[in-house]
Amino acid sequence: MSYIDMTVMAVPTANKDAYLEHARKVDVLFKEAGALSVTEAWGDDVPDGKVTDFKRAVQATADETVAIGWITWPDKAVRDAAWEKIMQDERMRNMDMPYDGKRMIYGGFAVVLEV
């Protein structure tokens, strides 16, 4: 089964174009390293929760939008090798993020059901 890397981040709403430009550059690296697909999504209907929600999870402010992304890999082995390669790539090392990376949530997930 495939393997998924997911991210959730708060992006200054005014930086949407910069976020997309950054994503286009970094997503090329993921594809070159073996990703099956890369998806970026901009928050459109992100409600406030009673206990927790996406905005609180990344400490989004009123002038920020929650964005999510996911990378689909063939399997965890390809993903692990890809990340090692990507983190050594000069293009990645020289990239500036148009958001606060310290508030980004990320993780790898083993797909257990695909319909």
Side-chain angles (χ1 to χ4, degrees):
M1 282 239 162
S2 55
Y3 195 84
I4 308 289
D5 277 323
M6 300 249 352
T7 58
V8 182
M9 66 217 79
V11 181
T13 304
N15 285 2
K16 183 178 181 181
D17 289 340
Y19 169 78
L20 288 170
E21 182 181 332
H22 168 78
R24 285 184 184 100
K25 290 177 184 175
V26 75
D27 293 351
V28 166
L29 301 178
F30 299 133
K31 292 290 286 183
E32 287 176 3
L36 299 174
S37 66
V38 183
T39 303
E40 306 288 346
W42 191 254
D44 179 57
D45 183 12
V46 184
D48 294 334
K50 297 223 185 276
V51 177
T52 190
D53 55 49
F54 280 108
K55 293 178 214 168
R56 285 184 220 172
V58 293
Q59 299 176 348
T61 62
D63 63 337
E64 293 178 318
T65 299
V66 175
I68 65 170
W70 62 93
I71 307 164
T72 304
W73 302 99
D75 54 47
K76 189 173 189 301
V78 170
R79 178 263 201 171
D80 290 347
W83 273 108
E84 191 170 318
K85 178 182 175 185
I86 290 166
M87 295 313 290
Q88 299 305 315
D89 192 302
E90 286 300 315
R91 293 172 292 176
M92 180 66 143
R93 293 170 156 246
N94 295 322
M95 249 182 239
D96 291 323
M97 293 189 294
Y99 52 87
D100 181 359
K102 291 178 271 189
R103 292 186 287 140
M104 179 173 68
I105 299 171
Y106 59 91
F109 299 84
V111 174
V112 295
L113 177 64
E114 219 166 19
V115 179

